[in-house]
Amino acid sequence: MKRMIAMISALIVFLGAAFFMTQKPTVSKAKIPTVGILQLMSHPALDQIHKGIIAGLKDEGYIQGKNLKVVFRNAENDQSNLKTMSQTLVERANSDVVVGIATPSAQALANTTTKTPIVLGAVTDPVGSKLVKSETHPGGNITGVSDPAPVAKQLALIHQLMPELKSIGVISTLSDDSAQADVRRFDQAVKPFVKKYGWSVKKYNVSSTNDVNQVAQTMANNVQAVWVPTDNTLASAMQTLVNVTNTKNIPIFPTVDTMVKDGGVATMSLSQFDLGERAGKMAGKLLKGEIKTATTPIDSHPRSDLVINVKQAEKIGLKIPDKLLKQAEKQGEVIK
């Protein structure tokens, strides 16, 4: 009897050992991080920022579909969409980091969460938009990239191209925080040109794309050139503006490269792709824990390049000096 019990015990031990030997060890899958991207609307400038963000994340080792999940939402310039989509990215998608392309997108995300890290994807005035306490010490869950237009350089370029200029028009959307921040920079930067060269500045405002045609016609009767800030409404209605100014051979000098491609003549431009790439790199570093939003200063020193639309200049009879063309070919872009 004792012998039988011993044999049964040995058999149980053997079977138990065999069972555990055949079991595969459980390997815990590492969580794939999620980045939510909220874009105000479809437009070449904002689309370039989006592409830059993806490239910046890749630079930091995060590749969409491989070790990164990207949830993208486009509000198509609808404020109600911004609110709903912000909640989707933060709460339903459970994003580890969210990126807001353009000021309204960033504001919508900021109104949704005070915990999830937010990266500003090119916001002109982060402090004035009440997104951060200061650009050097943001102090909360927000940091990112600012895109202040190099207005003084742009005005110097305008003087080079139009040394006899006396009147310049400024058109902007009153409700666009980024545009108004640029206009304030313009007001300061233009003072030496008013004093030294006798420039007069005439300002015109629109509230939507529906106003652009009529306001542009009035403006075209009173100015010799037009300066356009970083303005989402005017960016989407650029062709309307160009159609009006072309009738008077009036050059438009926008702040961004994509608006030059859409019919502007020239600018010292911020590269929208570069802005996005910088924001993407910040998002990547946040995912890796290398930086914190509260202590990471806003990146407000992007590169500026000379962009010239030769085709548009020829259309309105404006001569571009060879020196500037060579500069644009070397560091910037010549559109033919």
Side-chain angles (χ1 to χ4, degrees), residues 19 57 73 87 93 95 123 129 140 152 162 192 198-199 202 213 250 280 314 324 330:
F19 173 79
L57 284 163
R73 293 291 183 272
Q87 293 171 341
S95 299
V123 169
S129 301
M162 303 181 71
W199 285 14
K202 301 179 186 297
N213 185 66
I250 296 172
E314 290 175 349
L324 287 177
K330 186 176 180 180

Side-chain angles (χ1 to χ4, degrees), residues 156-163 253 265-266 306 308-310 313-314 317-329 334:
L157 174 63
I158 293 172
H159 176 67
Q160 272 188 280
L161 292 170
M162 303 181 71
F253 298 96
V265 168
L306 176 59
I308 299 173
N309 189 331
V310 173
E314 290 175 349
L318 183 65
K319 173 67 176 175
I320 306 293
D322 290 339
K323 181 180 178 181
L324 287 177
L325 288 173
K326 289 178 181 178
Q327 180 184 336
E329 287 171 352
V334 176

Side-chain angles (χ1 to χ4, degrees), residues 122-144:
V123 169
T124 302
D125 188 7
V127 176
S129 301
K130 300 180 179 178
L131 289 163
V132 297
K133 293 178 181 178
S134 80
E135 291 199 8
T136 53
H137 298 91
N141 67 317
I142 302 174
T143 187

Side-chain angles (χ1 to χ4, degrees), residues 211-233:
D211 302 335
V212 174
N213 185 66
Q214 183 176 350
V215 173
Q217 288 185 27
T218 301
M219 179 175 62
N221 289 323
N222 295 285
V223 301
Q224 296 169 291
V226 175
W227 179 83
V228 182
T230 307
D231 189 308
N232 291 310
T233 298

